C-alpha cells in the first residue's frame, strides 16, 4: 500500500512538473516583439518623415487593417511634424484623407477611436512638459541648463511647453507609441543621430525591449531602405553597448 502511495505521489509530481514546464514554454513572448499595430506605426511614421507618399498610402491602409483607429493614425501623422516639419506632416494627413475617402467609397467603415482627454490641473505648460520629460527619461531636471538649452533658452521652453506638454501629453497614443513614432521619423529623415540616440534611450526607459528595438530596425529596412536601417542599427548598437 505504501509503495503504491509513493508511486502515485511521484506520478503526481511528474505531471505537475511537466504541466509547469509546458506552461512556461508556451507563454506568449508578445512583450519581446512589436505587435502588428506597433509595426504599422513605425512604417507610417518613417514613410511620412521620408515623404514617400506612394508607399505611405499602402501602409495607411495596412495600419487600419491592423486595427489602428483613425484618430491613432491622425495622431501619428501629427506627431511627425515635431521632428520632420509641417510640410511632411500635412502631406501625410492629406494622403490619409484620400485613403479614408477611397475606403468609404468601397463601403469600409473605419473605427474613429477615442480623442485626446481634456487636460486637468492648473500647472503651467512648462511644468507639465518638464514633468513628462522627467517621466520619460527617469532623470529629474535639477542641474543648470547646458548645451543648446543654455545657448538658446527659448527653444528649451518651446520643447517643454509644446513637444512634451502639447504633444506628448495627448493620450491618443501611449508614450511607447510616441517614442516609436519619434525614432521612426528620425530614422527616416537621417542625419540626426544625437536625437535618435536620445530617443532610443527614452524608448528603453518607457518599456520597449531590446528585441523590439532590433525588430524596429528590421521594419525600417523593409519599409524605408537598407541605408536608413544600417544607420539606425549603428546608433542602436551604441545605445545598447552603453547599457552593459
Amino acid at each position: 500500500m505504501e509503495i503504491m502511495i509513493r508511486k502515485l505521489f511521484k506520478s503526481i509530481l511528474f505531471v505537475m512538473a511537466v504541466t509547469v514546464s509546458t506552461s512556461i514554454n508556451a507563454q506568449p513572448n508578445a512583450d519581446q516583439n512589436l505587435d502588428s499595430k506597433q509595426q504599422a506605426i513605425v512604417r507610417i511614421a518613417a514613410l511620412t518623415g521620408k515623404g514617400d507618399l506612394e508607399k505611405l498610402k499602402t501602409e495607411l491602409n495596412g495600419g487600419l487593417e491592423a486595427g489602428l483607429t483613425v484618430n491613432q493614425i491622425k495622431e501619428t501623422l501629427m506627431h511627425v511634424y515635431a521632428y520632420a516639419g509641417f510640410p511632411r506632416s500635412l502631406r501625410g494627413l492629406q494622403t490619409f484623407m484620400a485613403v479614408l475617402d477611397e475606403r468609404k467609397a468601397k463601403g469600409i467603415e473605419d473605427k474613429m477611436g477615442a480623442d485626446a482627454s481634456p487636460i486637468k490641473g492648473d500647472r503651467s505648460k512648462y511644468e507639465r512638459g518638464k514633468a513628462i520629460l522627467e517621466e520619460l527619461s527617469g532623470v529629474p531636471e535639477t542641474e543648470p541648463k547646458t548645451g543648446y538649452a543654455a545657448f538658446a533658452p527659448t527653444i528649451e521652453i518651446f520643447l517643454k511647453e509644446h513637444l512634451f506638454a502639447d504633444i506628448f501629453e495627448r493620450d491618443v497614443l501611449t508614450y511607447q507609441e510616441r517614442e516609436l513614432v519619434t525614432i521612426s521619423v528620425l530614422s527616416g529623415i537621417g542625419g540626426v543621430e544625437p536625437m535618435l540616440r536620445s530617443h532610443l534611450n527614452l524608448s528603453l526607459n518607457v518599456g520597449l525591449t531590446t528585441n523590439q528595438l532590433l525588430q524596429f530596425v528590421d521594419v525600417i529596412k523593409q519599409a524605408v531602405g537598407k541605408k536608413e536601417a544600417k544607420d539606425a542599427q549603428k546608433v542602436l548598437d551604441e545605445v545598447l553597448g552603453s547599457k552593459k
Side-chain angles (χ1 to χ4, degrees):
M1 183 70 177
E2 184 179 346
I3 293 174
M4 289 178 62
I5 292 173
R6 277 191 208 151
K7 286 183 177 179
L8 179 61
F9 184 65
K10 286 181 179 179
S11 297
I12 292 171
L13 287 177
F14 176 78
V15 171
M16 289 176 65
V18 170
T19 302
V20 170
S21 175
T22 303
S23 175
I24 290 172
N25 291 330
Q27 285 297 316
N29 207 22
D31 64 324
Q32 294 295 317
N33 294 283
L34 296 175
D35 62 32
S36 58
K37 293 181 183 180
Q38 290 171 318
Q39 291 183 49
I41 286 173
V42 171
R43 294 187 182 98
I44 290 168
L47 290 168
T48 304
K50 190 75 174 175
D52 191 334
L53 302 182
E54 200 58 41
K55 284 186 179 179
L56 175 61
K57 185 176 179 180
T58 299
E59 296 304 339
L60 289 167
N61 276 289
L64 290 166
E65 296 301 324
L68 289 172
T69 67
V70 172
N71 278 339
Q72 285 175 321
I73 293 180
K74 283 200 297 185
E75 199 74 22
T76 296
L77 297 169
M78 289 190 290
H79 187 110
V80 167
Y81 104 83
Y83 299 93
F86 275 114
R88 293 293 196 217
S89 180
L90 293 176
R91 291 296 284 136
L93 286 165
Q94 289 166 343
T95 303
F96 190 34
M97 290 166 63
V99 165
L100 291 173
D101 286 343
E102 289 176 7
R103 289 171 67 87
K104 188 174 182 180
K106 294 176 182 177
I108 302 172
E109 291 294 330
D110 292 301
K111 185 178 178 181
M112 185 61 63
D115 205 343
S117 302
I119 303 302
K120 299 178 181 178
D122 55 3
R123 289 187 302 171
S124 68
K125 281 206 297 186
Y126 184 87
E127 288 301 318
R128 297 199 324 260
K130 178 172 176 288
I132 289 171
L133 178 56
E134 289 176 339
E135 185 177 354
L136 292 171
S137 67
V139 179
E141 291 205 352
T142 56
E143 300 297 323
K145 304 300 179 187
T146 59
Y148 70 81
F151 180 69
T154 303
I155 201 166
E156 193 268 341
I157 294 173
F158 289 165
L159 280 169
K160 293 292 195 310
E161 292 188 346
H162 186 46
L163 177 60
F164 292 109
D166 286 341
I167 299 177
F168 267 82
E169 196 168 26
R170 290 172 58 83
D171 57 3
V172 179
L173 297 176
T174 65
Y175 287 162
Q176 283 191 9
E177 290 166 340
R178 288 199 181 276
E179 284 304 329
L180 278 176
V181 174
T182 302
I183 60 177
S184 301
V185 177
L186 296 175
S187 297
I189 63 178
V192 286
E193 287 75 15
M195 291 74 188
L196 178 58
R197 185 178 299 107
S198 173
H199 281 280
L200 284 169
N201 274 299
L202 293 183
S203 296
L204 290 167
N205 288 341
V206 298
L208 289 168
T209 66
T210 297
N211 283 350
Q212 285 173 323
L213 292 180
L214 290 170
Q215 188 182 4
F216 149 77
V217 175
D218 286 338
V219 177
I220 291 293
K221 182 178 180 180
Q222 297 161 13
V224 184
K226 293 181 181 179
K227 181 185 182 303
E228 290 83 357
K230 183 179 179 181
D231 292 343
Q233 184 67 62
K234 181 180 178 181
V235 179
L236 178 58
D237 287 343
E238 293 171 0
V239 169
L240 296 179
S242 70
K243 304 294 183 184
K244 294 179 180 178

